[in-house]
Amino acid sequence: MSMKNLGRVLVTNDDGIDAPGLAVIERLAARLAEEVWVVAPMADQSGVGQGISMHHPLRVTEYGPRRYALTGTPADCVMVAMADWLRDSPPDLVLSGVNWGANLSDSVMYSGTVGAVLAADHLGLPAVALSQAFTDRSAVDFSATEAFAIDAIARLRASHDHSDGASRCCWNINFPMRDPADIHGLRFTRQSGGAIVAPQLIDGADGRGLAYHWLSFERDTSAVVDPQADVVALRDGYVSATPLHGSRCDERSFERHAAGGEWRLDISDHAE
């Protein structure tokens, strides 16, 4: 699909304004829309989730027509774009990525790439996060994303636009690191759990001998076998599409507790 059926698309990411994946998504957005706006972080913001900047000012650098870098998070980028340049002319779609590395399983909540689309969702904007899995960090290859992203986005938008009252959602799409000819299609998935086994600290010392720590994670997805899990879809050679929404409320737990009515609480005696 190459027809431009959207008027305006907002593009952001979490790897920063100079990331190769941003160049990929800009090219994809140009095939989808008449007008592309880019508001991306000045530097790498991986792992910031949906965080926004509350304790320092935001500075903007213009990189070209409708192309800006922000000293903030991906969610900041969406918020600033909507507070300023796109305040009176909101985009038809927000795209975040293309992240170099998958955003799957219990890593999704930490992803700045996904955080941007959740921020867009809170503002009532349709949004899609795109991430490219890799097997070798140094061998940058977005060919799977470039081959299938346009069709995936178009189909997801079409299914949403003609839904029969379904609740709004945003999408987290992950592309396997395979030759496009070896990819079987798109599978609708849910987040899997348990891929992060435990947090880890990698210790070091600076030039003055003072200790520092890098936060890392022990990961293991081998035990995940549910075919509807996002990590399994990529393992099986499918593009993974997971619907997300901004609410963190556990609806089943809410319904169970709310059915019992309000609780009267006893005042605690703090005297010792």
Side-chain angles (χ1 to χ4, degrees):
M1 171 186 171
S2 59
M3 182 184 299
K4 297 183 179 183
N5 61 351
L6 299 176
R8 181 177 294 108
V9 167
L10 171 63
V11 168
T12 190
N13 72 348
D14 75 355
D15 289 331
I17 190 71
D18 295 319
L22 185 66
V24 172
I25 206 169
E26 288 182 69
R27 291 196 298 270
L28 296 173
R31 293 173 57 192
L32 288 167
E34 297 292 339
E35 185 177 290
V36 177
W37 287 78
V38 178
V39 185
M42 181 70 73
D44 193 328
Q45 294 287 315
S46 298
V48 300
Q50 203 178 335
I52 57 174
S53 298
M54 301 291 292
H55 303 292
H56 60 80
L58 298 171
R59 304 183 190 279
V60 176
T61 301
E62 185 173 359
Y63 273 64
R66 299 191 298 272
R67 197 168 192 270
Y68 300 91
L70 185 74
T71 58
T73 69
D76 285 334
C77 292
V78 174
M79 296 295 180
V80 169
M82 294 306 299
D84 192 346
W85 307 289
L86 303 181
R87 181 184 183 91
D88 299 319
S89 53
D92 300 300
L93 180 66
V94 176
L95 295 176
S96 182
V98 177
N99 193 69
W100 182 233
N103 281 303
L104 300 165
S105 184
D106 36 16
S107 296
V108 170
M109 68 186 75
Y110 304 114
S111 166
T113 304
V114 174
V117 300
L118 289 173
D121 181 68
H122 279 158
L123 298 177
L125 301 170
V128 179
L130 301 101
S131 300
Q132 174 64 64
F134 63 76
T135 52
D136 180 354
R137 178 174 289 277
S138 64
V140 178
D141 181 0
F142 290 96
S143 57
T145 300
E146 293 183 286
F148 296 114
I150 292 291
D151 193 28
I153 293 169
R155 289 178 183 237
L156 289 174
R157 277 187 53 78
S159 67
H160 176 75
D161 290 343
H162 298 91
S163 61
D164 51 355
S167 60
R168 187 184 73 238
C169 71
C170 51
W171 291 94
N172 180 33
I173 304 180
N174 284 271
F175 297 86
M177 178 50 76
R178 292 194 179 201
D179 185 287
D182 295 330
I183 293 176
H184 306 306
L186 182 146
R187 181 184 291 175
F188 291 99
T189 57
R190 57 167 56 95
Q191 285 177 255
S192 55
I196 294 179
V197 177
Q200 294 179 322
L201 286 178
I202 301 173
D203 300 328
D206 64 18
R208 296 174 296 169
L210 300 176
Y212 65 80
H213 311 280
W214 284 108
L215 180 62
S216 183
F217 296 97
E218 179 187 349
R219 303 174 187 270
D220 182 10
T221 62
S222 61
V224 182
V225 296
D226 179 2
Q228 292 184 316
D230 48 14
V231 296
V232 174
L234 261 68
R235 189 189 305 158
D236 291 347
Y238 286 85
V239 175
S240 164
T242 304
L244 303 175
H245 60 85
S247 173
R248 298 291 181 91
C249 180
D250 183 332
E251 294 294 337
R252 288 188 297 178
S253 182
F254 168 77
E255 293 293 341
R256 180 168 62 87
H257 286 83
E262 300 173 354
W263 288 1
R264 178 180 291 276
L265 299 178
D266 295 329
I267 298 175
S268 299
D269 183 359
H270 295 286
E272 295 183 358

